[in-house]
């Protein structure tokens, strides 16, 4: 996205998210992307016209995580100070600011569709926020009715570490596509592992050992596979719930990003100076 960088020459782009496709055009490529910047601003760009369509300023410090709601109507943004803002993707107006994670940078924001009957609360969407202090909040929201209800609050233990959380492995969480009502968490903790937490049972239901503390996480939307990156330049592909892990050492530095394509057949990973595209084959 060279044209995005050229339009904002004095600011650093910290995070990006593609706008979801409408259900009627499933399979079509989304034409809008939202970006969060180091000055606390958010910009919406049109891919087809290669121009900025909307700018908003919901944060006073750098935006560290960003996501669209599942219908694309709202933009959720998290900042270095731990505040989460909910803004309209049409007007740019901030309609809600959540302070529950205040004081710790937001590392992940993710939305998923749900039915309110799943957890006995109103709302058509479930979303989570993760912060550097190993806390994860899960919310049920109905943006049309302007309701947002805290569903669960997780805090994962860890041994004593440095006061600067930025020197520790990141806290990362994601909804599990193949296990509804379950999320996966990795981060600095008592053990090097990935934790599967059930929102229904309110407990960790599975622990997957890892060779190191994870620095990147992605779950395949099409198959029971989990990709985990490490600062040791290693990428691990894990069949779930159990299976022989596959390790790949193609990176020249810490793997800080990995993301499955919607088809689940490709995986994008990034380190300091390399972006790799992996083709996943059956068997």
């Amino acid at each position: 996205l060279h044209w995005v960088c050229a339009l904002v020459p004095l600011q650093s782009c910290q995070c990006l998210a593609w706008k979801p496709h409408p259900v009627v055009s499933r399979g079509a490529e989304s034409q809008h992307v939202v970006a969060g910047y180091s000055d606390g601003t958010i910009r919406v760009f049109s891919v087809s016209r290669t121009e900025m369509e909307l700018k908003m300023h919901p944060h006073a410090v750098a935006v560290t995580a960003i996501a669209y709601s599942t219908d694309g109507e709202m933009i959720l943004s998290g900042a270095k100070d731990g505040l989460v803002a909910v803004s309209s993707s049409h007007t740019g107006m901030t309609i809600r600011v959540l302070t529950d994670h205040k004081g710790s940078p937001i590392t992940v924001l993710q939305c998923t569709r749900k039915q309110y009957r799943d957890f006995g609360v109103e709302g058509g969407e479930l979303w989570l926020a993760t912060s550097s202090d190993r806390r994860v909040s899960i919310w049920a929201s109905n943006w049309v009715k302007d309701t947002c209800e805290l569903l669960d609050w997780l805090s994962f233990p860890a041994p004593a570490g440095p006061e600067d959380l930025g020197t520790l492995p990141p806290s990362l969480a994601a909804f599990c596509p193949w296990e509804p009502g379950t999320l996966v968490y990795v981060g600095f903790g008592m053990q090097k592992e990935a934790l599967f937490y059930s929102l229904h049972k309110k407990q960790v239901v599975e622990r997957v050992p890892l060779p190191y503390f994870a620095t990147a996480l992605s779950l395949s939307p099409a198959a029971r596979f989990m990709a985990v990156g490490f600062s040791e330049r290693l990428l691990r592909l894990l069949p779930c719930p159990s299976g022989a892990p596959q390790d790949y050492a193609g990176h020249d530095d810490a793997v800080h990003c990995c993301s499955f394509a919607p088809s689940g057949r490709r995986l994008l990973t990034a380190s300091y100076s390399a972006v790799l595209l992996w083709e996943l084959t059956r068997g």
Side-chain angles (χ1 to χ4, degrees):
L1 294 176
H2 297 291
W3 54 271
V4 171
C5 297
L7 287 170
V8 193
L10 300 179
Q11 299 301 327
S12 171
C13 181
Q14 306 288 300
C15 46
L16 289 167
W18 287 90
K19 185 175 182 178
H21 322 132
V23 176
V24 293
S25 62
R26 188 171 298 280
E29 190 173 71
S30 177
Q31 292 299 305
H32 289 87
V33 63
V34 63
Y37 288 85
S38 55
D39 63 349
T41 60
I42 294 171
R43 292 167 170 86
V44 177
F45 297 93
S46 167
V47 177
S48 58
R49 293 196 297 272
T50 64
E51 66 182 19
M52 185 178 72
E53 290 189 348
L54 186 65
K55 176 185 175 182
M56 58 196 87
H57 201 160
H59 299 282
V61 295
V63 181
T64 53
I66 200 161
Y68 272 100
S69 61
T70 55
D71 60 6
E73 295 296 309
M74 298 295 171
I75 296 172
L76 285 70
S77 56
K80 190 175 181 179
D81 58 7
L83 300 187
V84 176
V86 181
S87 308
S88 168
S89 66
H90 299 289
T91 67
M93 181 180 296
T94 298
I95 62 173
R96 185 182 292 266
V97 176
L98 303 172
T99 61
D100 300 74
H101 290 270
K102 186 176 181 179
S104 185
I106 301 298
T107 53
V108 177
L109 289 169
Q110 187 189 9
C111 302
T112 185
R113 295 186 185 278
K114 68 170 289 289
Q115 297 296 321
Y116 68 89
R117 297 182 184 87
D118 292 350
F119 299 97
V121 295
E122 286 287 346
E125 181 166 279
L126 200 67
W127 62 276
L128 64 78
T130 308
S131 51
S132 295
D133 55 1
R134 301 175 298 278
R135 295 186 297 170
V136 182
S137 59
I138 300 94
W139 305 79
S141 297
N142 186 326
W143 304 120
V144 175
K145 296 183 178 179
D146 191 26
T147 61
C148 188
E149 181 175 346
L150 181 64
L151 189 66
D152 210 338
W153 181 265
L154 314 179
S155 183
F156 294 93
E163 291 186 7
D164 182 6
L165 296 177
T167 63
L168 296 174
S171 301
L172 306 171
F175 290 111
C176 185
W178 60 83
E179 289 290 345
T182 301
L183 62 85
V184 179
Y185 171 85
V186 296
F188 181 65
M190 307 305 292
Q191 303 291 335
K192 301 178 181 69
E193 59 189 358
L195 303 177
F196 285 71
Y197 179 88
S198 170
L199 296 172
H200 295 288
K201 297 180 179 179
K202 304 289 186 181
Q203 65 183 33
V204 174
V205 294
E206 184 181 357
R207 298 174 183 267
V208 177
L210 300 174
Y212 313 103
F213 287 119
T215 52
L217 173 71
S218 184
L219 279 67
S220 171
R224 292 173 175 261
F225 277 95
M226 177 170 63
V228 186
F230 305 97
S231 61
E232 288 74 13
R233 307 179 183 182
L234 181 71
L235 173 71
R236 171 165 285 193
L237 192 63
L238 277 162
C240 296
S242 61
Q246 305 168 46
D247 290 338
Y248 302 93
H251 285 280
D252 58 357
D253 207 328
V255 182
H256 62 74
C257 177
C258 58
S259 179
F260 277 101
S263 66
R265 298 300 303 274
R266 290 182 176 181
L267 177 68
L268 193 70
T269 61
S271 59
Y272 177 75
S273 60
V275 177
L276 303 182
L277 181 64
W278 307 80
E279 190 82 25
L280 279 69
T281 57
R282 296 182 183 274

